[in-house]
Amino acid sequence: MNITQLIFLRPRETPQSYKDEGHSLEIGLIPLQNGDTRRWDDEVWQVAHVETYSPSIATNNCFQVAMLTPDGTITQPNPLRVGDQRLMYLCISSEDFALAWPEPAECLPEIGSEAPPFEGWQVDRMQEFESDRTEALYDRVLVCWCIPISAESDATAA
């Protein structure tokens, strides 16, 4: 399974400068490639750059970051930084997903604890993905698969 963070970028007036229009998530069987198109915010966007991250433990899952622009071109492949952090985590439940850039890094989710962006959900399992390139957007990405906190575990915690 391919888990892909989609980043929608619009060129600004100055060369090599982009405005972050938004983020989305795509889970599928076929990895995205440059030139692929996606519809977002009532517009058609083209994949301009794709980064692939390797799992730290053997798995069939892979993680990608795809940067999309209206015309499918990008003058600088890594125009986006979220603070000084090069760590991102993604929580996925059966109802929603959330991206987070923890500051400080000690605020990372843990297996069995409540998923920080989702009240009533806990982290069931976690997968780590790493970049082998220094110019990648992230050094590390954690994907947290979340399940509802059961009423039994709520009662025992009280």
Short mmCIF file of all heavy atoms in Angstrom, two decimals, residues 9 15 42 45 47-48 50-51 66 73 80 93-94 98 105 112-113 115 126 134 140 151:
data_model
loop_
_atom_site.label_atom_id
_atom_site.label_comp_id
_atom_site.label_asym_id
_atom_site.label_seq_id
_atom_site.Cartn_x
_atom_site.Cartn_y
_atom_site.Cartn_z
N LEU A 9 0.95 23.35 -4.03
CA LEU A 9 1.75 24.57 -4.02
C LEU A 9 1.38 25.45 -5.20
O LEU A 9 1.27 24.97 -6.33
CB LEU A 9 3.25 24.23 -4.10
CG LEU A 9 3.79 23.34 -2.99
CD1 LEU A 9 5.20 22.88 -3.34
CD2 LEU A 9 3.78 24.07 -1.66
N PRO A 15 10.54 34.16 -8.40
CA PRO A 15 10.96 32.82 -8.83
C PRO A 15 11.36 31.95 -7.63
O PRO A 15 11.87 32.44 -6.64
CB PRO A 15 12.17 33.09 -9.73
CG PRO A 15 12.15 34.54 -10.02
CD PRO A 15 11.36 35.21 -8.95
N ASP A 42 -11.52 22.41 -6.29
CA ASP A 42 -12.13 22.75 -7.59
C ASP A 42 -11.14 23.07 -8.70
O ASP A 42 -11.46 23.79 -9.64
CB ASP A 42 -13.12 23.93 -7.43
CG ASP A 42 -14.30 23.57 -6.55
OD1 ASP A 42 -14.71 22.38 -6.57
OD2 ASP A 42 -14.79 24.44 -5.83
N TRP A 45 -4.67 19.68 -10.46
CA TRP A 45 -3.27 19.88 -10.09
C TRP A 45 -2.45 18.74 -10.66
O TRP A 45 -2.93 17.62 -10.76
CB TRP A 45 -3.13 19.90 -8.56
CG TRP A 45 -3.86 21.02 -7.90
CD1 TRP A 45 -5.20 21.14 -7.73
CD2 TRP A 45 -3.30 22.18 -7.31
NE1 TRP A 45 -5.51 22.29 -7.06
CE2 TRP A 45 -4.35 22.96 -6.79
CE3 TRP A 45 -1.98 22.65 -7.16
CZ2 TRP A 45 -4.15 24.16 -6.14
CZ3 TRP A 45 -1.78 23.85 -6.50
CH2 TRP A 45 -2.84 24.60 -6.00
N VAL A 47 1.24 16.47 -10.46
CA VAL A 47 2.38 16.10 -9.62
C VAL A 47 3.64 16.66 -10.27
O VAL A 47 3.94 16.36 -11.43
CB VAL A 47 2.47 14.58 -9.44
CG1 VAL A 47 3.73 14.20 -8.67
CG2 VAL A 47 1.22 14.03 -8.76
N ALA A 48 4.39 17.46 -9.50
CA ALA A 48 5.61 18.08 -10.00
C ALA A 48 6.86 17.42 -9.42
O ALA A 48 7.93 17.48 -10.03
CB ALA A 48 5.62 19.57 -9.68
N VAL A 50 8.11 14.03 -6.55
CA VAL A 50 7.76 12.93 -5.64
C VAL A 50 9.00 12.52 -4.86
O VAL A 50 10.07 12.35 -5.44
CB VAL A 50 7.19 11.71 -6.40
CG1 VAL A 50 6.90 10.56 -5.45
CG2 VAL A 50 5.95 12.09 -7.19
N GLU A 51 8.84 12.39 -3.55
CA GLU A 51 9.89 11.84 -2.69
C GLU A 51 9.39 10.53 -2.12
O GLU A 51 8.24 10.44 -1.68
CB GLU A 51 10.19 12.78 -1.52
CG GLU A 51 10.76 14.10 -1.91
CD GLU A 51 10.98 15.01 -0.71
OE1 GLU A 51 10.66 14.65 0.43
OE2 GLU A 51 11.49 16.11 -0.97
N ALA A 66 4.19 13.93 -2.32
CA ALA A 66 4.00 14.41 -3.69
C ALA A 66 3.66 15.89 -3.64
O ALA A 66 2.75 16.29 -2.93
CB ALA A 66 2.88 13.63 -4.38
N THR A 73 4.92 21.94 -12.88
CA THR A 73 6.35 22.26 -12.82
C THR A 73 6.68 22.86 -11.46
O THR A 73 5.83 23.44 -10.78
CB THR A 73 6.76 23.27 -13.91
OG1 THR A 73 6.03 24.48 -13.71
CG2 THR A 73 6.50 22.72 -15.29
N LEU A 80 9.16 23.85 0.78
CA LEU A 80 8.36 23.93 2.00
C LEU A 80 9.15 23.47 3.21
O LEU A 80 9.81 22.45 3.17
CB LEU A 80 7.12 23.03 1.82
CG LEU A 80 6.16 22.92 2.98
CD1 LEU A 80 5.46 24.26 3.20
CD2 LEU A 80 5.15 21.85 2.71
N SER A 93 -7.25 7.05 11.05
CA SER A 93 -8.32 6.26 11.67
C SER A 93 -9.29 5.87 10.56
O SER A 93 -9.13 6.28 9.42
CB SER A 93 -9.04 7.08 12.75
OG SER A 93 -9.88 8.05 12.15
N SER A 94 -10.31 5.13 10.91
CA SER A 94 -11.30 4.74 9.90
C SER A 94 -12.18 5.92 9.50
O SER A 94 -12.89 5.85 8.51
CB SER A 94 -12.17 3.59 10.43
OG SER A 94 -12.85 4.01 11.59
N ALA A 98 -4.87 12.92 10.17
CA ALA A 98 -4.31 14.19 10.62
C ALA A 98 -2.79 14.15 10.46
O ALA A 98 -2.16 13.14 10.77
CB ALA A 98 -4.67 14.46 12.08
N ALA A 105 10.14 17.24 19.66
CA ALA A 105 9.98 15.87 19.16
C ALA A 105 9.55 14.90 20.26
O ALA A 105 9.08 13.81 19.97
CB ALA A 105 11.27 15.38 18.51
N GLY A 112 -0.66 2.45 22.11
CA GLY A 112 -1.50 2.25 23.29
C GLY A 112 -1.99 3.54 23.92
O GLY A 112 -2.90 3.53 24.74
N SER A 113 -1.41 4.69 23.55
CA SER A 113 -1.86 5.96 24.13
C SER A 113 -2.81 6.66 23.15
O SER A 113 -2.89 6.31 21.97
CB SER A 113 -0.67 6.85 24.47
OG SER A 113 0.03 7.19 23.30
N ALA A 115 -4.32 9.05 20.51
CA ALA A 115 -3.74 9.71 19.33
C ALA A 115 -3.93 11.22 19.49
O ALA A 115 -5.07 11.67 19.59
CB ALA A 115 -4.41 9.21 18.07
N MET A 126 2.34 1.43 14.74
CA MET A 126 3.07 2.55 14.18
C MET A 126 4.13 2.03 13.20
O MET A 126 4.74 0.99 13.46
CB MET A 126 3.75 3.32 15.33
CG MET A 126 4.26 4.66 14.95
SD MET A 126 4.98 5.59 16.35
CE MET A 126 3.85 5.38 17.67
N THR A 134 19.56 13.87 1.94
CA THR A 134 19.64 15.04 2.82
C THR A 134 18.73 16.16 2.37
O THR A 134 18.30 16.97 3.18
CB THR A 134 21.09 15.57 2.91
OG1 THR A 134 21.54 15.86 1.59
CG2 THR A 134 22.00 14.56 3.57
N ARG A 140 12.38 11.80 8.89
CA ARG A 140 11.61 10.68 9.44
C ARG A 140 10.12 10.98 9.37
O ARG A 140 9.70 12.11 9.60
CB ARG A 140 11.99 10.55 10.91
CG ARG A 140 12.31 9.20 11.37
CD ARG A 140 12.86 9.25 12.78
NE ARG A 140 11.78 8.95 13.69
CZ ARG A 140 11.76 9.26 14.96
NH1 ARG A 140 12.74 9.90 15.50
NH2 ARG A 140 10.76 8.90 15.70
N ALA A 151 -14.75 1.19 25.57
CA ALA A 151 -15.35 1.57 26.86
C ALA A 151 -14.70 0.80 27.99
O ALA A 151 -14.56 1.32 29.10
CB ALA A 151 -16.87 1.31 26.83
#
